[in-house]
Amino acid sequence: MTKYQKHDGSVYEGPVLVMPDGRIKSGATLTADSVRLSLMPERSRDADGGFQSDDPSTPQVNEAWVGGKAPKKKAVRKKKNGS
């Protein structure tokens, strides 16, 4: 079963509704309690179960991730100098 991620970072594994514009909502029907979901990134595995690496000869596809795209990196907050 495909795993989805809520905006707060928690994992959702229930029924989903795909809207015509491509958004993914939780629940089998659209209600006021439905929240927007996004696909969780998943690493590709080889036949032995180990992680598969990216092939540098194909720059447009990332074989290390299911779906061919790596997740975006989160921005790192700078620490404030507390003086």
Side-chain angles (χ1 to χ4, degrees):
M1 178 174 252
T2 305
K3 293 183 182 178
Y4 297 93
Q5 187 172 12
K6 293 182 182 179
H7 67 281
D8 63 359
S10 61
V11 177
Y12 178 81
E13 291 191 57
V16 295
L17 176 69
V18 179
M19 304 295 285
D21 60 357
R23 291 179 294 160
I24 303 170
K25 296 282 191 162
S26 63
T29 59
L30 187 60
T31 62
D33 296 330
S34 297
V35 293
R36 190 171 185 170
L37 305 172
S38 60
L39 284 171
M40 287 189 67
E42 186 179 346
R43 286 290 307 262
S44 297
R45 297 192 177 263
D46 59 11
D48 296 331
F51 290 130
Q52 186 175 357
S53 63
D54 183 29
D55 183 8
S57 66
T58 57
Q60 63 275 16
V61 178
N62 189 344
E63 291 84 7
W65 295 92
V66 174
K69 284 191 171 184
K72 294 182 180 178
K73 295 184 179 183
K74 294 183 180 181
V76 177
R77 289 185 171 205
K78 294 182 180 179
K79 293 183 180 180
K80 291 184 179 180
N81 190 359
S83 46

